[in-house]
Amino acid sequence: MSATENRPQPQPYAIVGGVSMRDLLASCAAAEAVSTPPRLPDPGTLPAAVERPKAA
């Protein structure tokens, strides 16, 4: 046996913890959706404020 036969063969890509790309992208999209504040409503689409009588 020669010394080159005992060396492990390099892999074409790194294996990272067994997480699929689909799961990784889904987790990033979920994190962005959770961390982004909601948009403010457009002023034109809000109903007009109704005046109510003041409490006594």
Side-chain angles (χ1 to χ4, degrees):
M1 250 188 195
S2 68
T4 59
E5 291 180 19
N6 292 334
R7 292 183 187 169
Q9 297 296 320
Q11 294 188 359
Y13 54 89
I15 298 174
V16 182
V19 177
S20 70
M21 183 58 75
R22 182 188 318 180
D23 291 341
L24 180 63
L25 292 173
S27 68
C28 291
E32 183 179 359
V34 168
S35 63
T36 304
R39 289 181 29 194
L40 294 174
D42 294 332
T45 59
L46 293 176
V50 178
E51 284 196 34
R52 298 177 186 219
K54 294 192 178 206

